[in-house]
């Protein structure tokens, strides 16, 4: 089980919240030293000069660089010339299971964007939606912020992302590997709690904090994914697939499958067969 699977799970369960967004030129007095915000920030530099310090790293951002300044990290910034930054910026939070993502993962503080017009467009849309006054405006702005986070990740080498609590990461990797290896069995919370050396009640809270969903919901989703694979790639009957995955009640299996996919197993198989021809 490599860490990329765990990273995928974290990123699939993000809860993003937008606080502020704007586009402006910094003043000559733009300056604050050694403060620790309880929100994260993106700076998208359009033009101008300035200085940032994030943790113990100092930067002189250039146009075309997207800077991530995570919450809980001591920061400083300052104008350094008579040509201060013109930039888009936003304040936001991003959590997994109620935990600040940046307490779990450490990302590079900036990336160079290959297609700056796309980031310009995303930021402009965040700003327009956030200030639109429409009932759906904030929801749309949050969706575009999620897109911005995705775009940031797309421009990184994933090897640059590091895990901040390796004992927890190794434990979660072992748990997810066990689930993958035993997905055709009846996996219980007690089984997983034993692997983690935790009481089952504490384990449920721990798993949800790390993955963003309770362990039984996660296992069910994995069983449905396996069922989709078997429906697509094997001639096994639906009854055989249900039994293989530990479902003795075919009606319950079909209902659960439809809840997750919007289709019954029969409908799913017909659709995938039609797409393959």
């Amino acid at each position: 089980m490599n860490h990329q699977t765990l990273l995928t799970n974290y990123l699939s369960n993000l809860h993003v919240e937008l606080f502020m967004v704007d586009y402006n030129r910094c003043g000559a007095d733009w300056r604050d030293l050694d403060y620790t915000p309880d929100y994260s920030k993106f700076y998208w530099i359009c033009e101008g000069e300035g200085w940032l310090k994030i943790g113990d790293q100092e930067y002189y951002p250039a146009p075309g660089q997207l800077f991530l300044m995570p919450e809980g990290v001591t920061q400083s910034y300052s104008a350094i010339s008579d040509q201060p930054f013109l930039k888009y910026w936003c304040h936001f939070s991003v959590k997994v299971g109620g935990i600040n993502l940046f307490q779990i993962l450490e990302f590079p503080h900036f990336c160079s964007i290959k297609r700056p017009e796309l980031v310009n467009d995303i930021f402009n849309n965040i700003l327009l939606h956030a200030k639109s006054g429409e009932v759906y405006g904030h929801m749309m702005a949050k969706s575009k912020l999620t897109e911005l986070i995705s775009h940031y990740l797309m421009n990184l080498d994933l090897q640059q992302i590091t895990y901040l609590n390796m004992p927890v990461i190794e434990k979660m990797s072992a748990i997810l590997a066990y689930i993958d290896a035993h997905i055709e069995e009846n996996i219980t919370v007690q089984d997983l709690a034993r692997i983690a050396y935790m009481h089952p009640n504490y384990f449920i809270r721990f798993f949800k904090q790390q993955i963003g969903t309770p362990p039984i919901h996660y296992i069910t989703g994995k069983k449905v994914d396996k069922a989709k694979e078997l429906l697509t790639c094997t001639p096994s009957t639906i009854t055989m697939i249900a039994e293989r995955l530990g479902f003795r009640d075919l009606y319950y299996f079909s209902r659960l499958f439809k809840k997750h996919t919007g289709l019954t197993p029969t409908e799913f198989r017909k659709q995938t067969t039609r797409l393959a021809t």
Side-chain angles (χ1 to χ4, degrees):
M1 175 80 176
N2 60 38
H3 292 162
Q4 189 165 334
T5 303
L6 189 55
L7 177 61
T8 299
N9 277 291
Y10 284 142
L11 299 179
S12 298
N13 289 282
L14 294 183
H15 177 77
V16 176
E17 189 59 64
L18 175 68
F19 301 134
M20 296 181 66
V21 59
D22 212 340
Y23 171 68
N24 54 28
R25 186 175 294 279
C26 302
D29 59 350
W30 184 68
R31 177 183 174 87
D32 200 350
L33 301 179
D34 295 329
Y35 71 103
T36 305
D38 57 3
Y39 51 84
S40 298
K41 295 187 288 185
F42 270 127
Y43 283 174
W44 172 236
I45 309 301
C46 298
E47 60 180 64
E49 300 174 331
W51 168 81
L52 299 179
K53 186 177 181 182
I54 308 171
D56 58 0
Q57 299 292 313
E58 295 189 49
Y59 302 97
Y60 294 87
Q65 293 179 333
L66 180 61
F67 268 79
L68 170 65
M69 305 172 73
E71 66 178 275
V73 176
T74 301
Q75 302 169 16
S76 302
Y77 60 78
S78 177
I80 58 172
S81 73
D82 59 359
Q83 297 180 343
F85 288 139
L86 175 67
K87 61 182 173 63
Y88 284 99
W89 57 270
C90 65
H91 296 174
F92 65 97
S93 74
V94 55
K95 296 182 178 180
V96 178
I99 300 176
N100 167 19
L101 178 68
F102 305 118
Q103 290 177 344
I104 302 171
L105 301 170
E106 183 174 20
F107 295 85
H109 293 145
F110 76 94
C111 64
S112 297
I113 299 297
K114 297 169 185 172
R115 297 185 61 189
E117 69 278 4
L118 293 181
V119 176
N120 279 333
D121 187 58
I122 293 170
F123 253 117
N124 195 44
N125 275 286
I126 296 172
L127 190 58
L128 287 173
H129 289 305
K131 296 182 179 296
S132 69
E134 300 288 353
V135 293
Y136 53 79
H138 191 71
M139 182 171 65
M140 289 293 294
K142 285 205 300 182
S143 73
K144 298 303 289 188
L145 173 58
T146 301
E147 185 180 344
L148 181 63
I149 295 169
S150 301
H151 207 77
Y152 186 84
L153 291 167
M154 288 164 56
N155 283 272
L156 293 179
D157 177 352
L158 295 184
Q159 300 302 316
Q160 296 175 287
I161 300 173
T162 56
Y163 295 85
L164 295 176
N165 191 337
M166 283 309 298
V168 168
I169 298 307
E170 295 297 342
K171 187 171 287 189
M172 283 305 307
S173 293
I175 291 164
L176 297 185
Y178 180 89
I179 293 171
D180 283 345
H182 297 82
I183 197 61
E184 296 181 11
E185 302 172 19
N186 181 26
I187 303 169
T188 68
V189 168
Q190 287 74 16
D191 294 332
L192 301 179
R194 277 193 293 272
I195 296 170
Y197 301 101
M198 293 178 182
H199 186 279
N201 291 342
Y202 179 76
F203 172 76
I204 291 170
R205 292 195 297 273
F206 168 78
F207 190 97
K208 187 173 182 180
Q209 279 185 332
Q210 295 299 318
I211 300 298
T213 188
I216 293 302
H217 291 183
Y218 179 85
I219 292 166
T220 300
K222 282 291 187 178
K223 283 184 179 288
V224 170
D225 287 344
K226 185 65 176 180
K228 288 160 65 176
E229 176 189 325
L230 294 172
L231 286 165
T232 303
C233 302
T234 75
S236 301
T237 68
I238 292 168
T239 299
M240 291 168 62
I241 291 171
E243 290 176 350
R244 179 172 170 177
L245 292 171
F247 296 99
R248 295 182 180 178
D249 185 332
L250 181 59
Y251 173 74
Y252 175 72
F253 168 70
S254 296
R255 190 177 64 182
L256 193 69
F257 189 94
K258 185 170 183 178
K259 181 180 178 182
H260 279 256
T261 67
L263 300 170
T264 66
T266 301
E267 290 167 341
F268 179 85
R269 174 166 269 173
K270 285 180 180 177
Q271 184 180 76
T272 53
T273 302
R274 190 164 57 244
L275 290 173
T277 58

